[in-house]
Amino acid sequence: MTKEQLARDAADIFRLLRAFRSIKDRAERWRVIEAVEAMAEGGATDKAASDKAEKPHV
């Protein structure tokens, strides 16, 4: 990953963090956290599946 990509990602992360902190309703915050965790778990599963697919069978 290049420095430019890291800088863009960092800017996006800080924007999302500010948006999250602006949510005052605790229930809504919890729903956001659950959604993000579900996406992260799905991404980890997708990455693991693609890693397995890339490994040659011996």
Side-chain angles (χ1 to χ4, degrees):
M1 197 174 257
T2 67
K3 287 184 180 182
E4 291 82 17
Q5 290 170 322
L6 289 172
R8 276 192 308 246
D9 287 349
D12 288 341
I13 290 167
F14 282 114
R15 266 194 301 275
L16 289 170
L17 182 60
R18 275 196 308 266
F20 177 76
R21 287 181 174 172
S22 72
I23 300 170
K24 301 299 180 199
D25 181 26
R26 286 182 160 213
E28 187 64 30
R29 275 188 174 202
W30 187 249
R31 283 190 292 273
V32 169
I33 291 169
E34 288 177 334
V36 170
E37 287 176 344
M39 285 187 270
E41 287 175 6
T45 303
D46 292 345
K47 182 172 177 1
S50 68
D51 287 347
K52 287 180 183 176
E54 292 175 10
K55 293 180 182 175
H57 294 286
V58 179

